[in-house]
Amino acid sequence: MVWYVGRRLLQMVPVFFGATLLIYAMVFLLPGDPIRALFGERPPPPGVLEQIRAEYNLDKPFIVQYLLYVKGILTLDFGTAFTGRPVVELMANAFPVTIRLALIALAVEAVFGIGFGLIAGLRRGGFFDATVLIVSLIVIAIPIFVIGFVAQFVIGLKLELLPATVGQEESWRQLLLPGIVLGATSFAYVLRLTRNSVADNLSADHVRTATAKGLSRPRVVSVHVLRNSLIPVVTFLGTDLGALMAGAIVTEGIFNVNGVGGTLYQAVIRGQGTTVVSFVTVLVMVYLLASLLVDLLYAVLDPRIRYA
Amino acid sequence: MSHAVPAGSDRPGWVQRTDRDDTQPLLDVRDLHVTFRSNGRDVPAVQGASLTVYPGQTVAVVGESGSGKSTSAMAVMGLLPGTGRVTSGQILFEGKDIARAGQREMMALRGKSIGLVPQDPMSNLNPVWTIGYQVREALIANGVASGAAAKRRAAELLEEAGLADAERRTKQYPHEFSGGMRQRTLIAIGLAARPRLLIADEPTSALDVTVQRQILDHLDGLTRELGTAVLLITHDLGLAAERAEHIVVMYKGRVAESGPALEVLQDPQHPYTKRLVQAAPSLSSRRITSAVRSEVLERAERAAEEAHARVEAADGVHAPVADTGHDVIRVENLTKVFTLRGSGVRGEQLKAVDDVSFSVRRGTTMAIVGESGSGKSTVAQMVLNLLPITSGRVLFDGVDLTKLDKRQRFDFRRRVQPIFQNPYGSLDPTYSIYRSIEEPLRVHKVGDAKSREARVRDLLDKVSLPTSTMRRFPNELSGGQRQRVAIARALALQPEVLVCDEAVSALDVLVQAQILTLLNDLQAQLGLSYLFITHDLGVVRQIADDVCVMQKGRLVEAATTDEVFANPRQAYTRQLLDAIPGGSIALGA
C-alpha cells in the first residue's frame, strides 16, 4: 500500500515536467507581444522594451526560459506577474475562494445527487423516478451560464433568498448560490449514475440472499445496496473535484468571484505566461492528487481491489 | 456398472415414506398460480402447482429451465423477482397461508423459519463485506445472537458447514474463497437461525462434480441431524432421486408427476417424466449409436481423402505428412505454462497443461474429462491453434501445427472447427442466423451468393432447424436452437474435426440429449471426428469412444470409454465416477 502510494507520487514527477513544458510552450507560442501590449497605443520609450524583456528573461531562448522557470518553482518562487505582484500572492488570493466554491459544489452533488438517485433507483419506474430523470436531463441540457443568470436573477434578486453576488468578504453564505450553480450539472450526472447503479444492484443475487436471511428492507438497502452502488459514484465525484476547480470560470464571472477561473482567464487574455503556467501546473497537481485519492477510496469501498 | 451399489444403501436412515397423512405438513402449496407482467401482458409462470413437505422430509422439485420450479420456491419465500406475483392458490406454512402475507410478516419468517441456499455461489455473497459479517448478520437479524456471541457462533456455523479454519476465514472476503467454500458459507447462512424448512435452489449446479458430492453429502447430514425439511430445486433427475424421498416433476408451470423418488424414477407415468428419465445423462449407460461404426470410420477416411485432394488442388503442393495412420489428431507431450501477473519481477509460473499426449482416431469421439482448472480447455485451445504451445506438438493429419505458414493455417481453420459452451455468447447478436452461418463461407471465399444460400439452407436442414430460422436473430432463439446454429456454422466449411468445448453443458437435459444425438448422427453421416471437452462423465458415456481424464494439468488416465467406466484404474477417475449423481440408482426399465 505504502509502496503503491509512493509509486503514484513518483509518477507525478514526469507528469509535472511534461505539463509545465507543454503549457510553457503553448503560452510562448501565443501570437502578439505582451510587453508591447503593456503600453497600449503609444510606442514605448527606447530601451525600455529591452529592459523589461531582460527583467523577465524574455530575451533568452525558449528552453533557457523554461529551465529558469522550473528552477524558480523548485525553490517555491513562481515568479512575478507583469503587474509587479508575485504569482504566489495571486494564488494565495484565488485558490482559497475557489476551493471553498468547489467544496460547496461537491457537497451539493454528493448529498442531493446520491440522495435523490437512491430514492429514484429504489422506486424505478415510479413518479419520483420519472420526474427526477426529466429534471436532471433538463439541467444537463441547459448551458451553465443560463442556469447561473437565471438563479442569480430569481433566487438572488427577486426572491432575495441568497446574496446575488460575492463581495469582498467572500463569506460562505455568499458562495452558496454560485456553489450550487457550479455543482448543478455534475449533480444531475451523479443522480443518474446513482439511480442506475442502485437499480442494477437491487436485482443482484446477493441482495435477494440478504433479504432471505431475514434482514429488514432499510438494512438491505443501506448495507447491501448502497455501498456497492457508491463505487462508481465515488470515482465520478473524485475526478469531478479537479474539473470543479478549473472549470469555474463562467460561474465565477457571473457571481463576481475572484477565484482561479477569473484570474486564469485574465492572465490568458493578457498573455501573462508565468501566471498561466503556474496556475495550470497547480491545477494539474490537484487533479493528479484527486485521482490518487479516488483510487485509494476505491480500495476502501471495494475489498477486491488491492494495490501492491 | 461395477461401481453400482444397491439403491439407497449409501444413505443411512433411508426410509421410504409415501403415506404421511398422520402428521401436519410443514409446507403445503395448493394450486399455486404465479404470473409475470411483461409488455402490459400477464405471462403465467406457474399454473396450478401443488406440493407438500412434511417436517424433516426432503422433497425435490425437478424440471428444466422455465418449468416454474424456481419461481414456485421463490413464491414460498415471498421473493418473486420483478413483476412476479401470486395470482391464486395457497401457500400454507405450518397451517398458515402466507401467499399474500405482508413484507413484515415475511421478514419474520425468512431466515428464522424458512432458510435459503441459493444457486450461484459466485454472485450470492456481497463482495464488499467479509464472510464473517455476512453470517453474523443472519444471526443478529433473527435474534439468535449478538455482539461477541454472534462472532463466535458465526465461526461455529462455518465450521459446521465444513469450512476448515473457520475463525480465520471469517475475516476474509468472498473473492478469496473458492466456489465450494462460498457454497458452504451460503449453507451456513441458510441454516444460521435453524429454520424448519430449507429451500435449496440448485445448490450445487455451479460446482464441480466431486465438490458437488461433498457439499450435498454435508448438507444431507446437517439437515438430517437438525431435523430440517428441505425443498430441493434441481434440473438433475439423478441428483433428485439420490437425495430426496419425494419427487415433484414440473413441466411448463404445472406439476407433471409426483411421488416417492424411486417410484417416479423406475416407473414414470407421465410422458414428460419418461423422456426425462431416458435423457438424464447421469442415468444413461450407453453410447448413442445410429450407424455401424465401421461404416462411420470408412466414411471418415473418405472425407479425409477428399480434403487432401482439395488442399492439393488449391496449393499444388503436397504438405509434408508424417504417417499418423488412422489418427487425425495426435498430441505429443503438450505443455502450456502461463506466467501469472503480479508479485515478483518474473511472475509466478503456472503449468496449466503438463506433458499431455493422446490421439484422436478418424471418425471417433475423444472426450477429455476433468474438473475446472484441470487444463482441459487449454488443451482444446492449443489443438485449435488459438493458443501458443509452450512445448510439445500437435499434429493434425500428420502436420505439425506450429510449422504451418499463413496459408496453411487458414486451410487448417477450415478443416478443424470449434463449438463453444455458451450459445448465447458465441453468436453475434447483431448478425442474422443466415449471416452467422454464411460468414465462414464468405471468409473462405466458397461459392457465390446463390450457392452459399443453398448451402446455408442445407446446413439448417442438417441440424433440423426450419429454413425460416435464417431471417431470425440469436435473441429470438432458445439455447438449444442457438447451439444448433453454432453447429451449422461449424459444419459450413465441411470440416473433418469438431472441437466441442463443453458444447452441451449450458443446455437442459432433454435439449442436451437432442444435441448429442444430432452430433452423433452427423458423425455417422459425414465421418466427423470429435474432440469433446466436458466435465460431465454422463455426457462422455453417451458420445465418446475414448476418454482422457485430466487432473491439475496432467493426464491421469486414458482408455476406451467402456474400459474407464467398467474398470477405472485411477483413484481420481473412480472418484469422478462415484460423484455422478444418481449413478448408484438402478433403473427399473
Side-chain angles (χ1 to χ4, degrees):
Chain A
M1 187 65 159
V2 176
W3 171 229
Y4 173 78
V5 174
R7 209 172 56 203
R8 282 287 296 263
L9 290 172
L10 220 62
Q11 279 170 4
M12 287 188 190
V13 174
V15 175
F16 166 80
F17 283 107
T20 46
L21 182 60
L22 213 66
I23 303 155
Y24 208 89
M26 284 193 281
V27 173
F28 190 84
L29 292 173
L30 276 181
D33 184 343
I35 307 297
R36 201 176 287 275
L38 285 175
F39 295 91
E41 293 297 307
R42 281 178 295 142
V48 172
L49 221 59
E50 283 68 34
Q51 194 199 329
I52 296 177
R53 285 220 170 98
E55 193 184 325
Y56 290 101
N57 292 323
L58 292 176
D59 52 347
K60 305 204 169 60
F62 167 72
I63 197 71
V64 176
Q65 284 187 38
Y66 173 71
L67 289 174
L68 281 171
Y69 171 74
V70 169
K71 189 183 139 204
I73 290 182
L74 293 180
T75 55
L76 286 181
D77 173 13
F78 284 87
T80 319
F82 290 145
T83 51
R85 292 173 73 194
V87 175
V88 176
E89 202 178 290
L90 286 177
M91 283 201 244
N93 274 334
F95 271 96
V97 65
T98 298
I99 288 171
R100 277 156 69 200
L101 199 61
L103 286 179
I104 293 174
L106 202 66
V108 169
E109 283 172 30
V111 174
F112 293 100
I114 294 173
F116 288 167
L118 175 64
I119 299 172
L122 291 176
R123 302 183 187 165
R124 181 154 65 162
F127 177 74
F128 182 85
D129 182 30
T131 316
V132 153
L133 278 185
I134 292 170
V135 169
S136 63
L137 201 63
I138 292 171
V139 170
I140 291 170
I142 298 177
I144 191 152
F145 64 86
V146 176
I147 298 177
F149 280 123
V150 170
Q152 189 178 42
F153 182 72
V154 176
I155 299 173
L157 296 177
K158 287 287 157 193
L159 302 175
E160 291 182 26
L161 289 174
L162 288 168
T165 55
V166 178
Q168 268 311 297
E169 65 270 36
E170 293 167 350
S171 68
W172 285 100
R173 197 175 133 74
Q174 286 174 345
L175 287 173
L176 198 52
L177 191 56
I180 293 171
V181 170
L182 182 61
T185 313
S186 295
F187 150 77
Y189 281 118
V190 170
L191 188 156
R192 296 173 80 92
L193 196 61
T194 310
R195 182 245 181 211
N196 289 343
S197 188
V198 166
D200 281 351
N201 272 299
L202 213 51
S203 57
D205 284 348
H206 65 78
V207 171
R208 192 190 65 181
T209 305
T211 313
K213 281 185 208 173
L215 303 188
S216 67
R217 174 92 176 158
R219 196 175 159 84
V220 170
V221 169
S222 60
V223 174
H224 290 283
V225 177
L226 196 56
R227 179 170 169 185
N228 300 55
S229 305
L230 283 185
I231 294 169
V233 178
V234 165
T235 316
F236 178 84
L237 284 176
T239 38
D240 200 40
L241 182 65
L244 288 175
M245 298 277 294
I249 296 179
V250 176
T251 316
E252 287 184 356
I254 296 170
F255 292 95
N256 190 34
V257 182
N258 293 312
V260 172
T263 312
L264 197 55
Y265 177 70
Q266 291 301 327
V268 171
I269 294 289
R270 299 194 185 134
Q272 298 187 351
T274 34
T275 315
V276 175
V277 179
S278 305
F279 269 71
V280 175
T281 305
V282 172
L283 285 175
V284 168
M285 290 295 137
V286 168
Y287 210 86
L288 289 177
L289 284 173
S291 70
L292 174 60
L293 203 68
V294 166
D295 288 345
L296 295 180
L297 206 55
Y298 205 78
V300 173
L301 279 174
D302 190 342
R304 283 167 294 185
I305 292 168
R306 282 283 172 266
Y307 301 118
Chain B
M1 273 179 276
S2 69
H3 64 283
V5 283
S9 70
D10 61 335
R11 268 197 58 161
W14 175 286
V15 190
Q16 201 178 318
R17 281 163 286 195
T18 47
D19 194 3
R20 302 280 300 252
D21 287 342
D22 49 327
T23 27
Q24 196 208 0
L26 180 66
L27 176 74
D28 193 2
V29 178
R30 292 181 187 168
D31 194 30
L32 181 72
H33 286 73
V34 178
T35 62
F36 285 88
R37 214 169 162 75
S38 156
N39 295 329
R41 274 185 315 131
D42 279 339
V43 182
V46 179
Q47 311 178 57
S50 301
L51 60 96
T52 314
V53 182
Y54 289 94
Q57 192 190 24
T58 297
V59 173
V61 183
V62 190
E64 56 194 56
S65 45
S67 63
K69 57 185 195 304
S70 279
T71 307
S72 304
M74 286 307 128
V76 171
M77 289 208 89
L79 287 176
L80 286 172
T83 56
R85 65 196 176 90
V86 176
T87 46
S88 71
Q90 284 180 307
I91 300 170
L92 300 171
F93 185 74
E94 298 186 318
K96 195 166 170 294
D97 189 5
I98 56 169
R100 277 160 212 85
Q103 278 304 314
R104 190 165 292 274
E105 214 175 319
M106 286 314 297
M107 202 182 95
L109 281 178
R110 285 181 205 133
K112 208 177 173 75
S113 301
I114 310 175
L116 172 73
V117 177
Q119 175 168 16
D120 182 3
M122 293 304 163
S123 65
N124 271 295
L125 287 167
N126 191 334
V128 308
W129 296 106
T130 60
I131 294 294
Y133 182 89
Q134 297 188 53
V135 180
R136 240 169 15 243
E137 215 178 27
L139 293 169
I140 297 165
N142 294 302
V144 177
S146 62
K151 264 193 180 160
R152 246 192 337 270
R153 186 81 189 112
E156 280 169 25
L157 282 167
L158 288 168
E159 196 96 53
E160 176 191 277
L163 206 64
D165 199 7
E167 181 138 6
R168 191 174 57 84
R169 296 246 179 243
T170 54
K171 296 184 187 76
Q172 288 186 302
Y173 287 95
H175 69 272
E176 298 168 84
F177 273 33
S178 69
M181 288 159 75
R182 289 187 214 197
Q183 198 56 284
R184 288 180 191 278
T185 307
L186 287 164
I187 289 173
I189 290 172
L191 291 171
R194 300 303 184 219
R196 284 179 292 282
L197 174 67
L198 188 72
I199 295 180
D201 185 4
E202 303 263 17
T204 54
S205 63
L207 304 173
D208 277 326
V209 269
T210 50
V211 183
Q212 185 174 332
R213 181 154 202 99
Q214 288 166 16
I215 299 239
L216 286 172
D217 282 348
H218 202 92
L219 186 65
D220 250 9
L222 263 182
T223 49
R224 191 171 306 121
E225 209 173 284
L226 300 169
T228 315
V230 179
L231 185 63
L232 178 68
I233 315 294
T234 179
H235 66 279
D236 192 331
L237 198 55
L239 188 144
E242 197 175 65
R243 302 288 167 180
E245 295 146 30
H246 198 87
I247 287 185
V248 177
V249 181
M250 283 194 73
Y251 179 56
K252 291 189 174 168
R254 290 190 177 84
V255 172
E257 184 163 357
S258 88
L262 282 178
E263 237 170 72
V264 170
L265 208 64
Q266 289 172 343
D267 185 23
Q269 299 299 315
H270 194 277
Y272 175 73
T273 321
K274 283 183 185 160
R275 268 161 60 209
L276 212 57
V277 170
Q278 261 170 11
S282 51
L283 301 168
S284 128
S285 55
R286 204 162 292 113
R287 192 190 195 284
I288 306 167
T289 43
S290 53
V292 183
R293 300 301 296 160
S294 60
E295 281 176 25
V296 176
L297 299 184
E298 205 176 290
R299 211 160 289 144
E301 297 289 345
R302 213 159 46 230
E305 273 163 35
E306 279 168 26
H308 275 300
R310 213 164 55 208
V311 173
E312 275 169 48
D315 278 0
V317 280
H318 201 294
V321 173
D323 185 30
T324 48
H326 292 299
D327 296 340
V328 62
I329 287 175
R330 185 174 285 179
V331 171
E332 292 172 354
N333 310 97
L334 196 62
T335 301
K336 177 71 194 177
V337 178
F338 288 106
T339 304
L340 301 179
R341 232 157 37 113
S343 53
V345 185
R346 294 184 54 201
E348 225 175 302
Q349 305 265 305
L350 177 82
K351 224 172 209 179
V353 176
D354 190 0
D355 194 20
V356 168
S357 305
F358 64 87
S359 45
V360 183
R361 287 175 296 139
R362 225 174 253 294
T364 67
T365 304
M366 161 66 88
I368 303 181
V369 209
E371 305 190 22
S372 47
S374 62
K376 57 189 192 301
S377 282
T378 311
V379 169
Q381 294 205 27
M382 285 191 283
V383 169
L384 281 166
N385 207 358
L386 294 173
L387 199 66
I389 294 167
T390 306
S391 70
R393 57 182 194 158
V394 177
L395 299 174
F396 171 70
D397 207 8
V399 185
D400 189 343
L401 288 191
T402 51
K403 304 239 157 61
L404 297 180
D405 61 28
K406 206 176 156 203
R407 206 200 141 75
Q408 286 168 321
R409 211 160 37 232
F410 192 62
D411 193 66
F412 166 77
R413 292 262 174 267
R414 187 169 171 166
R415 295 170 67 187
V416 179
Q417 284 280 308
I419 300 173
F420 294 109
Q421 170 170 14
N422 184 354
Y424 296 85
S426 63
L427 293 173
D428 189 328
T430 65
Y431 276 27
S432 70
I433 300 307
Y434 175 75
R435 209 171 148 203
S436 274
I437 300 177
E438 190 219 8
E439 194 185 20
L441 295 170
R442 211 151 12 93
V443 169
H444 285 265
K445 302 197 175 61
V446 177
D448 53 17
K450 202 164 175 186
S451 70
R452 281 204 292 266
E453 191 182 324
R455 180 96 184 103
V456 172
R457 280 173 197 281
D458 177 48
L459 285 164
L460 283 172
D461 194 47
K462 272 206 177 66
V463 297
S464 316
L465 283 174
T467 321
S468 61
T469 317
M470 277 186 352
R471 307 277 160 241
R472 299 172 73 184
F473 284 84
N475 65 335
E476 301 168 47
L477 304 182
S478 70
Q481 286 173 320
R482 281 182 228 203
Q483 202 58 300
R484 282 172 196 271
V485 172
I487 293 171
R489 180 177 58 182
L491 290 176
L493 294 166
Q494 293 173 295
E496 293 152 66
V497 178
L498 287 186
V499 177
C500 308
D501 191 355
E502 299 277 12
V504 294
S505 307
L507 306 173
D508 278 323
V509 262
L510 285 181
V511 184
Q512 185 173 319
Q514 285 165 11
I515 297 286
L516 287 176
T517 310
L518 171 69
L519 284 172
N520 190 70
D521 291 347
L522 289 170
Q523 180 168 56
Q525 273 173 36
L526 308 171
L528 296 168
S529 314
Y530 294 147
L531 180 61
F532 217 92
I533 314 296
T534 182
H535 68 279
D536 190 340
L537 275 163
V539 170
V540 171
R541 194 80 179 113
Q542 283 172 288
I543 189 106
D545 299 290
D546 302 284
V547 189
C548 289
V549 181
M550 282 187 73
Q551 184 192 20
K552 291 176 185 153
R554 302 191 70 94
L555 195 69
V556 292
E557 182 156 2
T560 66
T561 307
D562 292 334
E563 245 174 74
V564 166
F565 274 76
N567 189 18
R569 273 170 309 187
Q570 295 291 322
Y572 180 69
T573 313
R574 211 164 303 134
Q575 206 181 324
L576 278 180
L577 285 170
D578 288 343
I580 302 177
S584 57
I585 295 170
L587 283 178

